[in-house]
Amino acid sequence: MSKEFEIVREFAVDAEPQQVWDAFTTGTAGWLWPMEYAEGEGGGAPFGGSVTVWDPPHRLVDRVEDPALLPPVQSLNQLERVIEPREGGGSWVRYVHSGIFVEDWDSQYDGAAKHTDFYLHTLRQYLEHFTGRPATHSSAEGPAASAAPGSLDAVGRALGLADGAQPGDRVRVELPGAAPFDAVVDYRNAYFLGLHGEDALYRFFGRGAWGAPVEVVVHGFGADADPKETGRVWQEWINGVFA
């Protein structure tokens, strides 16, 4: 049965409103995935949507109303971001994801809400450490076996993390065919793991709770970042973890 949903998150960031606006409109590869907007109300938005409010750097709303452009479980999707300056510097952000799920409402809402928390955490990491730097986006999806319970724990162990590792803990990651690197855990729960390196954010999605395999996403900010090679290295690694 179709049912509306709304996911609302509010948070403060030590970034100016224009920097936050840029992250939402032109810097999405640095924390989410590459997306493009056509400036102005009525302009094109990701996934075949359209911009309904374009008020830089304060408010951005885009909407997809054509069910043919959405996943089968959804018939409407809207994103709203409100950015306000904070006294003394920085910004206050209100993020609202709303729409209509047409089936499996509880599971879809649970997945969307948990993913929203992780994405917005990554946004804050980007704004704190890498804002304004050119970004690349790479991804790799694990095999079907990685959808099993406990897969994200296996990913953590393969990275060299102790089972009880928490945000703030450090790890040295060694991948076949790539230079080792040092990173800090910045997010960890039963569903997601985030590492922050010198020139990249490493995101691990344990989507078994929603019947999907593990996904690895790398937001690279190094001057010599090669997204194709990065994707290849991580694809080989994640395949090996679940071989």
Side-chain angles (χ1 to χ4, degrees), residues 31 45 90 96 124 129:
W31 63 278
V96 183
R124 293 192 290 273
H129 300 288

mmCIF file of all heavy atoms in Angstrom, residues 31 45 90 96 124 129:
data_model
loop_
_atom_site.group_PDB
_atom_site.id
_atom_site.type_symbol
_atom_site.label_atom_id
_atom_site.label_comp_id
_atom_site.label_asym_id
_atom_site.label_seq_id
_atom_site.Cartn_x
_atom_site.Cartn_y
_atom_site.Cartn_z
ATOM 1 N N TRP A 31 31.091 13.378 -1.374
ATOM 2 C CA TRP A 31 30.431 12.783 -0.199
ATOM 3 C C TRP A 31 29.261 11.869 -0.534
ATOM 4 O O TRP A 31 28.828 11.081 0.299
ATOM 5 C CB TRP A 31 29.955 13.885 0.745
ATOM 6 C CG TRP A 31 28.901 14.796 0.152
ATOM 7 C CD1 TRP A 31 29.109 15.856 -0.676
ATOM 8 C CD2 TRP A 31 27.493 14.686 0.323
ATOM 9 N NE1 TRP A 31 27.902 16.424 -1.029
ATOM 10 C CE2 TRP A 31 26.898 15.735 -0.426
ATOM 11 C CE3 TRP A 31 26.666 13.821 1.040
ATOM 12 C CZ2 TRP A 31 25.526 15.932 -0.469
ATOM 13 C CZ3 TRP A 31 25.283 14.015 0.988
ATOM 14 C CH2 TRP A 31 24.737 15.068 0.241
ATOM 15 N N ALA A 45 17.418 18.161 -12.603
ATOM 16 C CA ALA A 45 17.987 17.649 -11.359
ATOM 17 C C ALA A 45 18.309 16.177 -11.548
ATOM 18 O O ALA A 45 17.887 15.557 -12.535
ATOM 19 C CB ALA A 45 17.011 17.854 -10.205
ATOM 20 N N GLY A 90 29.927 29.521 10.493
ATOM 21 C CA GLY A 90 29.382 28.196 10.219
ATOM 22 C C GLY A 90 27.941 28.268 9.761
ATOM 23 O O GLY A 90 27.391 29.343 9.513
ATOM 24 N N VAL A 96 15.647 17.422 4.404
ATOM 25 C CA VAL A 96 14.387 16.692 4.430
ATOM 26 C C VAL A 96 14.272 15.831 3.168
ATOM 27 O O VAL A 96 14.296 16.347 2.048
ATOM 28 C CB VAL A 96 13.181 17.640 4.517
ATOM 29 C CG1 VAL A 96 11.888 16.818 4.615
ATOM 30 C CG2 VAL A 96 13.305 18.584 5.706
ATOM 31 N N ARG A 124 29.514 15.916 6.343
ATOM 32 C CA ARG A 124 30.203 16.721 7.358
ATOM 33 C C ARG A 124 31.707 16.453 7.347
ATOM 34 O O ARG A 124 32.511 17.367 7.551
ATOM 35 C CB ARG A 124 29.600 16.454 8.741
ATOM 36 C CG ARG A 124 28.162 16.952 8.856
ATOM 37 C CD ARG A 124 27.672 16.942 10.281
ATOM 38 N NE ARG A 124 27.472 15.607 10.808
ATOM 39 C CZ ARG A 124 26.356 14.899 10.671
ATOM 40 N NH1 ARG A 124 25.335 15.396 9.979
ATOM 41 N NH2 ARG A 124 26.241 13.697 11.202
ATOM 42 N N HIS A 129 37.112 18.442 6.137
ATOM 43 C CA HIS A 129 38.469 18.098 5.720
ATOM 44 C C HIS A 129 38.797 18.405 4.257
ATOM 45 O O HIS A 129 39.970 18.613 3.928
ATOM 46 C CB HIS A 129 38.728 16.603 5.954
ATOM 47 C CG HIS A 129 38.588 16.183 7.374
ATOM 48 N ND1 HIS A 129 39.503 16.519 8.351
ATOM 49 C CD2 HIS A 129 37.622 15.460 7.998
ATOM 50 C CE1 HIS A 129 39.132 16.012 9.512
ATOM 51 N NE2 HIS A 129 37.992 15.353 9.324
#
